Amino acid sequence: MDLRTSWLWRCGVVVVAVGLAACNAGEVSEEGGEGTSLESAESSLVCEVSQTCASGISVTCSSASGVCTSGADGGGWVECDGARTYCPPACTCGTTRYTASRYGEGETCGAAAFQARGFLSEMVAAKCPAGGCNISDSFGTCVPLGPSRLDGFRITITRTYSCKEPANCQ
């Protein structure tokens, strides 16, 4: 080992020893072994806080610096290291009603209805970010695809619905 490598190695040991002493990880216990390990010294500084929101979901945060708080004002919140997360608002069903119709095709009337409901569900999801509510479906008549096509059936479904509000509710 040359002189520079030896000096750097000894400085590194001093830095690690000072770091361990600052965390109380280098103390000798009464049994003669080492005290708290560095890993458990760090984990004792971690905190976690959770808040159950009015909607039933929970918001949680954690901190390595040990600064965690929570409160109920504004619908509830948690805060870790100065970053506050509020509970999302609870959903209510909006009063505006929407109506849409889609058809589906399939080997059977059930398969055609399944496809039509899937198309309607995609449309409601695009219109209502938090989801739809008060959904009512009206089924049309299931008919064969036609004399030139003997491969299945078609059905039209009309859906009336409202959107859950506000858009960021849960």
Side-chain angles (χ1 to χ4, degrees), residues 4-130:
R4 284 183 302 179
T5 306
S6 173
W7 180 82
L8 287 174
W9 186 83
R10 279 183 274 160
C11 286
V13 169
V14 169
V15 169
V16 169
V18 169
L20 288 174
C23 293
N24 267 348
E27 288 185 10
V28 177
S29 68
E30 292 179 19
E31 293 86 32
E34 288 189 20
T36 312
S37 72
L38 183 57
E39 181 179 336
S40 64
E42 289 176 358
S43 67
S44 67
L45 298 175
V46 175
C47 65
E48 182 172 349
V49 66
S50 180
Q51 177 77 264
T52 301
C53 305
S55 62
I57 68 161
S58 293
V59 288
T60 304
C61 69
S62 60
S63 168
S65 68
V67 182
C68 298
T69 58
S70 67
D73 56 309
W77 52 270
V78 293
E79 185 175 315
C80 295
D81 296 331
R84 187 171 286 192
T85 304
Y86 284 92
C87 286
C91 293
T92 59
C93 195
T95 57
T96 304
R97 300 289 285 163
Y98 302 98
T99 301
S101 295
R102 294 292 183 268
Y103 71 87
E105 297 178 350
E107 291 182 9
T108 65
C109 288
F114 182 80
Q115 185 184 57
R117 278 189 295 241
F119 292 151
L120 286 167
S121 293
E122 290 173 4
M123 193 198 65
V124 170
K127 180 85 170 165
C128 306

Side-chain angles (χ1 to χ4, degrees), residues 98-102 116 120 136-140 156-160:
Y98 302 98
T99 301
S101 295
R102 294 292 183 268
L120 286 167
S136 173
D137 288 344
S138 174
F139 291 80
T156 298
I157 301 175
T158 301
R159 178 169 288 178
T160 304

